[in-house]
Amino acid sequence: MRREASYVTATTTPLPTAVEPDVDLGPATGLTCRECGASFPLGARYACEECFGPLEVAYDYRGVTRASIEAGPRNIWRYRGLLPVPSTVTEVPNLEPGFTKLVRADNLAAALGMRRLWVKDDSGNPTHSFKDRVVGVALAAARELGFQVLACPSTGNLANAVAAAAARAGIRSVVMVPSDLEQQKIVTSAVYGGTLVAVEGTYDDVNRLASEIAGEEEDWAFVNVNVRPYYAEGSKTLGYEVAEQLGWRLPEQLVVPIASGSQLTKIDKGFRELVHLGLVDDAPYKVFGAQATGCSPVAQAWKAGHDVVRPVKPDTIAKSLAIGNPADGPYVLDVCRRTGGAVEDVTDAEVVEGIRLLARTEGIFAETAGGVTVATLRKLLASGQLDPAAETVVFNTGDGLKTLDAVSPVVGPTATIPASLEAFRKAVSA
Ligand SMILES: *Cc1c(COP(=O)(O)O)cnc(C)c1O
Ligand SMILES: [Zn+2]
């Protein structure tokens, strides 16, 4: 039987013993298999040698308090005592993601008949998506593990974040993307001057190729392949921030977009750690997952009541979420089931409407992934799965400027007029 995704602390499970002696990854003590529980030393491993299950970082947390966190910098490194990064992480050259705004969304709430709604707006990160968080942690861990090249297969935003962070750290980057990606995302990766390879195929083809290369280029840290356990932990900071920004408490409902599913599972992990450490009260919360119908393998599995996720071939404008074979899909099902949430999907037309709704109510221009999340929020309300009276946080994980093509066909000037007062009056009174 599959074990549920779990986190490990000193008080719940014996520590793995075989820590490589000269690796300083802060509170991280080793890697644990999410399936069979086998332990491994810290290093560039990602699959269990016993059962091929995915590995997860195990910790021994010491002395993390609300006060110690609040005394830290206003970025993800305020949580370094909970992350697999060297204790000197704030001193290495890096972009500093995190501590993005938690926006009280009263207008959107009113439009949807909700009471208390927040948008966690991660478009405010250095390269305008939540991927700066995971790359920040992956880079810090990768350098400590001795890597000199940062690489990734990407649906776009990850390539931006890797190329930018590597440029700033003064190391080489090699990023691989599907060749049919939005032009904006190609440009916003290429501008940083690293190696950018456009691959003719889907993200899943790119990912497969990257895994082959990772096996050969042992000096390259593929952030989401061979150092994936560290990368994944970066998403916990979204959960920590939401809790801290709410005044050290948990919201009642969350709506989170799903690509590989890592982000959703790690927000949940972050919440559970805060409860375990006594930093927030243990209050129930429901996690809802959001996908685009054109790439909705997790939503399909959810609706069919399956434990496994059957891969699909993506066809959606939400390209940043277009992973047909999501690595963390089964763990997403676990989290949504355990917390009483659900996984739902929305059409591309609903995605565009979601982007426009968020923009005209809150002044936030989301990329297609944010449109997926807002549209899913709306659909879950309509079907009665989400409680309009319960405090809810939706995650906007990217910036609309990177996916202009999604909305440019349906928005434009109200009028185009000759430069005369009369023409203006006529145009705006209509
Ligand atoms: C990558 C990405 C996600 C989801 O990431 P996973 O952790 O792979 O599920 C969500 N939103 C945006 C904008 C992304 O780029
Ligand atoms: Zn295992």
Side-chain angles (χ1 to χ4, degrees), residues 258 289-301 303 310-319 321-324 343-352 368-369 371-373 375-376 379:
I258 301 167
Q291 294 205 293
T293 306
C295 182
S296 52
V298 187
Q300 285 172 29
K303 290 171 187 177
R310 194 174 311 144
V312 301
K313 193 164 187 327
D315 179 15
T316 169
I317 58 168
K319 293 185 180 167
L321 303 182
I323 297 185
V343 188
E344 186 54 275
D345 58 278
V346 289
T347 65
D348 284 0
E350 290 172 310
V351 173
V352 172
T368 45
V372 167
T373 310
T376 298
K379 191 167 176 183

Side-chain angles (χ1 to χ4, degrees), residues 3 32-40 47-55:
R3 278 166 38 111
T32 307
C33 175
R34 281 161 86 171
E35 295 295 328
C36 76
S39 293
F40 302 92
C48 176
E49 285 161 25
E50 312 286 327
C51 76
F52 300 108
L55 300 183

Side-chain angles (χ1 to χ4, degrees), residues 16-28:
T17 45
V19 178
E20 280 166 14
D22 49 358
V23 175
D24 167 19
L25 291 177

